[in-house]
Structure formats: structure tokens, C-alpha cells
Amino acid sequence: MADVEAALDAAGLKNPKVREFVKEYAELTGAERIEVVSAADDARLIQEALDAGELHPSGEGLYYSRSYYKDTARSEERTIVATNNELDKGVYNNWRPASEMKPMLHERMRGASAGKTMYVIPYLMSPPGNALAPWAAGVELTDTRTVVLHMIRMSRVAAHFLDELDDPDHFVRAVHVTGDLENLGQGTEADQRYFVTVADERTILHFGSSYGGNALLGKIAHGLRQGAYDGWASKKFLAEQYMLIGIHDNETGKDYHICGGFPSASGKTNLAMMLAPDVLGERYHVSFYGDDIAWLWVDEESGRLMGMNPEYGVFGVAKDTNERTNPTALHSIDPGTHAIFTNVAYNPTTGEVWWEGRTPSPPEEVHGWLDWTGSPLADRKDSDSSPWAHPNSRFTTTLANVPNIAKDFDAAAGVPIDAIIFGGRTRDREPLVRAIHDLAEGVYDGLTLGAEATAAAEGKEGVLRYDPMSNRPFMAYGEGDYAQHYLDVVGAATDQPIFAHVNWFQRGDDGRFLWPGYRDNLRPLLWLLQLRNGEVEGRQTPVGIVPTKEELNLEGVDITPEDLDTILSIDNARWQEEMANRAEHLEQFERMPEAIWEAHRRVAKALEDDQG
Ligand code: GDP
Ligand code: PGA
Ligand code: MN
Ligand code: MN
């Protein structure tokens, strides 16, 4: 048995509640050693992981890792929000009683870390001193070294965050036990995995995966699920799966901030790292605040809606990242950045990595390359056309490596929000951009976000489904209560943000994307800000305001006039079909505010009137 007291003393971790928590789970999991870590331990832990074969070198200051082949994405079915109040049950949060789930998880964790080290990761999910910092402290316990290395990149890790708390008991208790990955029955009837957030006890218990989305508990479990629950319970804030960017206009000297939710693997990281198109580069600069999570609150003094990114790093999708689509992302994983690649293709001789879309075709000399499972590509049958890299393969890098990181990304104040956008992979119907001035209609639009599922979650790639506010996998409590809380928080702001729905993914009959996307996505966003400033009028449609061709800056954009017409038009019949589905979708939810239903009826009526 580990000497917990000695390890905590050695690390100078004084908070008595943290010490109790570590002791409890050290005993339960039977870990052999306890090690408290901080960001300063990174180099040593990297070396240990290299020596142990958990990481492999990928050139100067870059690393490669592989997760178990049945453990490569978030598992939505096995993810549960448990509380002591059945009223917290929603449609998407897989609610179960805390009294059932806690003992079940404890049983699975009992003795499961025998012979292993339990790492104690004290972290903060906010810039230090932020108004929401009281909800941002946590301690993750994990039995997996690569999880520590990822947490150090993705969050602020230091013991003092836990010793400085006003209330020593107010931190999130997060426990991660990997378990025996080869015998967990992933995806079968006998699946042993469970990813549970006991939200009203601020306790996270994850068993059965070491994939980032299931194992980096500061990020998704705390940053999103627990944060959302806390924001609602305290009536103070929202925790959303949003990117957050700044746009600086050199001509007027003005700064704008836009946040927005797109489902996983639908373009948040790329938007946040966006380099302005060449023709607009002199005038506009996009800066990165966050790419996956934003916490929003109203500043008591100014009355403005504010946002901040609780994370400290980027866990980005590798696929299609290249010089043309996202040069910024490539620089954030340059040699010397200490970035970690997961589940891409790897060449152990040269240390090179590759993923689909990195270059137009894979490396010519196949010899020496391993696919994401570690199988030599030279041994592949010609008939095997499966990708070299897993479609959800990732890179992990810390914010300081992001070339367009905002100067004030770490500032306590956060930034005022001018616009909130929703989007996703939607093949048809959704135009490039449509703006919505009204809060209830904006929230209604987010709640009815329909998009294709992606490889970031197990199982359902390509299936069209509703993903309310891009939060479906992270919903912590009932959707009706969520809608009301959203209306209350944003409604309290003095200067209301403009809402918009965007779609970079409309396709032609031949399956090609109609809009070039990536850097050109700045153009519809600039139009949105101009609309908010009253500099353009757009064209009023039943589902919002759409830009005219003249208003949109299209200089140098590679698009045919026909495709442009398609992505700027509203197909009334198609939309009316959608309205029936939306009504059914909304009816599932309890306590949906009347304001949301009114918005729905307004849009439905506008569509009917417009048809005639
Ligand atoms: P996130 O998971 O929401 O952060 O999404 P990412 O920004 O990582 O993008 C996910 C995938 O979508 C990647 O393969 C990107 O290359 C691709 N993607 C991102 N933005 C665009 C776009 O504007 N157009 C197209 N066609 N693909 C995009
Ligand atoms: P993503 O982040 O949204 O950038 O894919 C990870 C996730 O949501 O699983
Ligand atoms: Mn995400
Ligand atoms: Mn992302």
C-alpha cells in the first residue's frame, strides 16, 4: 500500500479535504504509489513515458502515442449524469440515481489500480482570478501516465490552486481508472465501461478508457458536464461546447468577440485558429481564445455578457489539417512544441507522422510506416482502403504554442461577447449564415441544431440527429431547465449578443462541399458583425437574415455563382418539412419555456406566410 501522507507532504499539498479524497481513492483502487504532479514535472514524465514505450519520439520535441484500438472516441451511451434528484433527468443526460451509480463505479474501481501509480493532478479550469474560478478547481486522480501528460497540456496543473481555495471543500473530485482495456467488452452487451458525473456531489468517476475525451476529466467531464450543472445550480453561468475568438479590425481599431457551438469534429478548432484570407489579412486579425469550451457569465459591473476558455491547450482533430486548410494548427505542432499525436499513422524509423489530408496522397515509400493500430502498411492487402490514421486521431498542444493565441487569453477578466453562433455538418437546408436578433429565437435555433454525427463519438458517424446547442453529449440536467437558464443568463446582459446559424458543410449532389470553408469562414462572420453594427441590412427570410451576394466580401473566393446561390437561399418546402421534426424534437423535453415554443410558432408561421 502506498504511503499517501508521505507523498502529499512531499508535494506540499496541505488542503485537508484534498488529502482525505486522495486517501479514500488510494485505498479503494489499491494503487501502489502516489505521486502528486504539476506542470513542472512534464519533462521527467515524458522521459518516463518514452522509456516505458507509452510514447514514441516523433522528431525533436514531439511525441506519438496510440490508444487501445477499441478505445478511440468518446462513448455517449456509457456516459451518465447521476444526481440525488430525479428532476435532473433529461432526454440526453442518461440520468441515473447517484445511489445506484456510485457504488457500481466504486465496485469496478476496487483494487483496479493494484501495482500502479496513482497520479494526483491538481488543476484549475479557468484563468486564475476569474469570476468563475471558484467553480474551476479540481483534482484528477489517474492511474495512467499519458493522461497526466495530456492534462498538463490541456489544463493549468499546480498544487497551489487547491491550497488557495476560500472553501477548502469546493473542488471537483475526479477519479479516472483505466481498467483492463482488453477485457472490458467495449461496445458489446457486457460493456464494463462507465463514465459518470455525480453532478450534485461534484464527483466524477470514469472507468474503462484512456482515450482523451473519456479520460481528461478536467476537460469534458468538469469543463462541460460539471460546469453546466454548477452554472445552473448557482444560477451564475453557462458552460458550453463553444469556440471563442477575437476579431481585430485594423482599420477601425475595434475588437469583437464571437463564441459558438458546433458538435465535436465540426470545425471549432479550425475556426479558432483561422488565418484571415490573404485579401483580408491586412485589415483583420483573428485571435484564439478557445476552441472547445467557453464559460459565459454576466459581469456585475459592466452588465456585459462575458466569456472565457477554461482550458489551457488544444485537443485537435488531425484529419485534413494541412498548409492550406490550417497553417496555424501545423505551427502549433512544430518541432519543439512538445505536442503529442494520438492514433495517427507513424514511421518508427524516421519518427514522422501522417494523417489523411496531411498531404494529397500518403507517403510514397510505404515501407516503414505503421497505420494507427500499429500494423505495417507494407503488409496491407491492396483491397484494404481503410484510412492510415483513425478518423478521430488527434494532436494535443498547449495554448502557448498556438501562433494566433490572444495576448490576453490568460487574463482574469475574460472578454465581452458580441455574437453567438451555432453550426454543424448539415448537408442541405442550412444556408452559409443566417442571423437572428432575438434571444428566444436564438436559443430556439440552438436547441434545434441538427447535424451529422462525427467520428469523435463511437458508432454513429454520418447519422443526422439533433444536437441541442452542440451540447447533446454534455447535457447535465433537463433540457427545458437548460433553455430557461440560458434565457436567464444571457437575458440579463445589457448589450445583447447577436445570434447566428452557420453552415460550412452544405454539399452538392456529387457530395462535394459547396463552400470552400476554413479561412474563408471569416467572411460570413465579418458580415454578421457588420449586421450587428447596422452597416449592412441583409435579406430578411422566415428563418433569419441572410447576406446578399453584394454584402458578402467574396474577393478571391473559389465558388461558382450557382453554388453561391444555393448556399444563400432558403428552401421553404424543405424548411417546412423540418419544422414538423422540430416540433416533435421539442416535445420530448419537460418544462420547455413558453418563449421557446413561441419562437417555434413564429418561425413556422413566417415560413407559411412566405410560401404564399
Ligand atoms: P472541432 O472538433 O469542432 O474542433 O472541429 P475541427 O476544427 O477539428 O474540424 C473537424 C474536421 O472538420 C477536420 O477534419 C477539419 O479539417 C474539418 N473542417 C473544419 N472546418 C472546415 C470547413 O470549413 N470546411 C470543411 N470542408 N471542413 C472543415
Ligand atoms: P472536439 O473536442 O469538439 O474538438 O472534437 C473533443 C470532443 O468534444 O470530444
Ligand atoms: Mn468538443
Ligand atoms: Mn476541436
Side-chain angles (χ1 to χ4, degrees):
M1 264 307 293
D3 188 347
V4 183
E5 299 283 352
L8 296 173
D9 288 343
L13 223 169
K14 291 188 272 302
N15 182 323
K17 298 292 179 182
V18 173
R19 294 175 72 104
E20 255 170 55
F21 164 61
V22 177
K23 251 181 282 178
E24 180 189 344
Y25 282 91
E27 264 165 44
L28 180 82
T29 62
E32 195 171 307
R33 291 168 298 275
I34 304 295
E35 194 184 314
V36 183
V37 297
S38 79
D41 295 311
D42 191 57
R44 174 181 57 82
L45 291 166
I46 286 273
Q47 192 55 53
E48 288 177 16
L50 288 166
D51 294 343
E54 297 155 359
L55 286 185
H56 305 278
S58 177
E60 186 55 36
L62 291 174
Y63 314 100
Y64 171 67
S65 73
R66 205 177 281 135
S67 72
Y68 181 58
Y69 78 104
K70 290 183 187 169
D71 186 31
T72 55
R74 276 188 291 99
S75 166
E76 294 185 0
E77 266 112 65
R78 311 298 300 174
T79 300
I80 281 160
V81 173
T83 69
N84 295 281
N85 183 356
E86 197 168 351
L87 280 176
D88 294 339
K89 184 179 164 77
V91 171
Y92 295 126
N93 67 348
N94 293 335
W95 183 87
R96 302 272 278 275
S99 59
E100 176 192 327
M101 294 316 290
K102 261 175 61 182
M104 186 193 286
L105 267 289
H106 283 168
E107 230 17 79
R108 272 157 221 244
M109 289 178 173
R110 194 178 303 284
S113 304
K116 293 189 176 180
T117 299
M118 175 191 271
Y119 297 95
V120 177
I121 313 172
Y123 66 79
L124 187 71
M125 296 303 290
S126 83
N130 180 266
L132 302 180
W135 287 274
V139 177
E140 175 168 356
L141 309 178
T142 178
D143 58 6
T144 301
R145 186 160 29 210
T146 48
V147 169
V148 180
L149 293 170
H150 282 80
M151 276 294 286
I152 287 175
R153 282 156 182 72
M154 295 302 296
S155 62
R156 296 165 176 86
V157 176
H160 67 87
F161 295 129
L162 274 295
D163 285 327
E164 289 163 2
L165 299 178
D166 286 339
D167 173 359
D169 205 18
H170 205 253
F171 65 94
V172 168
R173 291 158 164 82
V175 188
H176 167 248
V177 173
T178 293
D180 179 8
L181 290 173
E182 290 178 27
N183 292 294
L184 295 175
Q186 292 91 337
T188 70
E189 290 273 305
D191 205 326
Q192 297 292 304
R193 303 171 300 162
Y194 266 116
F195 310 114
V196 180
T197 297
V198 189
D200 55 353
E201 299 183 22
R202 308 193 79 222
T203 297
I204 297 165
L205 303 171
H206 279 209
F207 175 80
S209 166
S210 64
Y211 164 73
N214 299 320
L216 307 179
L217 304 188
K219 179 178 175 57
I220 282 167
H222 181 171
L224 286 167
R225 287 185 204 100
Q226 184 66 56
Y229 194 89
D230 288 344
W232 173 60
S234 67
K235 298 191 172 17
K236 280 205 177 351
F237 65 101
L238 297 167
E240 303 291 321
Q241 182 181 218
Y242 286 174
M243 60 86 214
L244 173 56
I245 57 175
I247 298 179
H248 180 75
D249 182 342
N250 281 319
E251 208 167 287
T252 63
K254 282 193 181 152
D255 281 299
Y256 302 94
H257 301 95
I258 302 181
C259 64
F262 315 160
S264 303
S266 302
K268 296 181 300 299
T269 301
N270 275 275
L271 199 64
M273 290 190 177
M274 182 168 49
L275 193 65
D278 289 336
V279 293
L280 297 172
E282 295 241 323
R283 177 156 179 193
Y284 298 101
H285 176 75
V286 178
S287 52
F288 182 116
Y289 284 91
D291 74 318
D292 195 40
I293 306 178
W295 287 11
L296 308 179
W297 74 101
V298 171
D299 178 62
E300 279 171 22
E301 243 165 73
S302 68
R304 288 215 64 178
L305 181 69
M306 306 295 290
M308 63 88 168
N309 172 17
E311 301 196 89
Y312 203 54
V314 177
F315 183 57
V317 173
K319 186 170 191 285
D320 286 332
T321 304
N322 60 50
E323 319 285 346
R324 184 186 58 82
T325 57
N326 197 339
T328 315
L330 287 184
H331 284 305
S332 78
I333 51 179
D334 271 341
T337 54
H338 299 278
I340 303 175
F341 299 101
T342 307
N343 294 340
V344 297
Y346 177 62
N347 186 326
T349 315
T350 63
E352 288 168 287
V353 290
W354 190 83
W355 51 84
E356 273 62 29
R358 173 70 187 82
T359 47
S361 40
E364 231 162 82
E365 181 51 69
V366 174
H367 192 80
W369 279 92
L370 307 176
D371 71 11
W372 69 271
T373 67
S375 304
L377 279 148
D379 296 354
R380 268 200 181 178
K381 294 196 186 76
D382 288 343
S383 58
D384 186 351
S385 61
S386 59
W388 286 28
H390 189 281
N392 189 39
S393 56
R394 300 262 170 176
F395 59 85
T396 307
T397 193
T398 210
L399 290 186
N401 291 326
V402 176
N404 68 326
I405 187 70
K407 287 189 190 73
D408 56 344
F409 85 94
D410 207 21
V415 291
I417 302 297
D418 299 288
I420 300 178
I421 63 180
F422 299 112
R425 291 179 175 266
T426 310
R427 283 171 183 267
D428 70 344
R429 186 176 51 79
E430 281 295 357
L432 179 64
V433 56
R434 52 185 176 85
I436 299 163
H437 277 295
D438 175 81
L439 169 63
E441 233 170 277
V443 177
Y444 162 73
D445 187 74
L447 290 168
T448 51
L449 167 57
E452 292 161 38
T454 68
E458 290 173 349
K460 313 183 188 85
E461 198 174 347
V463 177
L464 266 175
R465 61 176 194 172
Y466 285 110
D467 189 337
M469 319 301 258
S470 81
N471 253 347
R472 176 180 173 133
F474 316 111
M475 277 291 175
Y477 55 101
E479 289 79 2
D481 297 329
Y482 169 91
Q484 186 60 56
H485 179 53
Y486 201 112
L487 292 170
D488 291 344
V489 171
V490 179
T494 45
D495 195 3
Q496 287 290 296
I498 190 167
F499 284 84
H501 199 112
V502 300
N503 183 18
W504 322 141
F505 299 97
Q506 201 172 140
R507 294 186 191 240
D509 294 333
D510 54 359
R512 77 183 190 290
F513 293 113
L514 300 183
W515 173 249
Y518 297 104
R519 296 169 64 173
D520 288 321
N521 295 336
L522 181 61
R523 300 166 192 268
L525 298 187
L526 292 175
W527 173 83
L528 181 65
L529 294 172
Q530 287 178 312
L531 184 74
R532 185 169 195 259
N533 289 343
E535 294 157 20
V536 293
E537 276 179 17
R539 182 171 67 83
Q540 186 71 51
T541 81
V543 292
I545 304 167
V546 173
T548 64
K549 272 182 266 190
E550 295 69 35
E551 287 170 349
L552 212 50
N553 182 326
L554 292 168
E555 194 187 339
V557 179
D558 182 17
I559 189 167
T560 66
E562 297 75 40
D563 287 352
L564 185 61
D565 279 336
T566 308
I567 63 171
L568 294 181
S569 61
I570 302 297
D571 180 343
N572 191 302
R574 182 70 191 76
W575 268 92
Q576 294 218 35
E577 224 176 87
E578 166 63 11
M579 293 308 282
N581 298 335
R582 286 186 169 190
E584 222 174 278
H585 166 65
L586 288 178
E587 268 157 22
Q588 306 172 84
F589 306 126
E590 310 227 11
R591 299 184 293 283
M592 189 51 71
E594 191 46 34
I596 300 298
W597 278 112
E598 278 166 15
H600 174 74
R601 288 192 290 267
R602 253 195 329 270
V603 174
K605 174 144 193 322
L607 280 163
E608 279 163 29
D609 291 351
D610 189 60
Q611 191 184 29

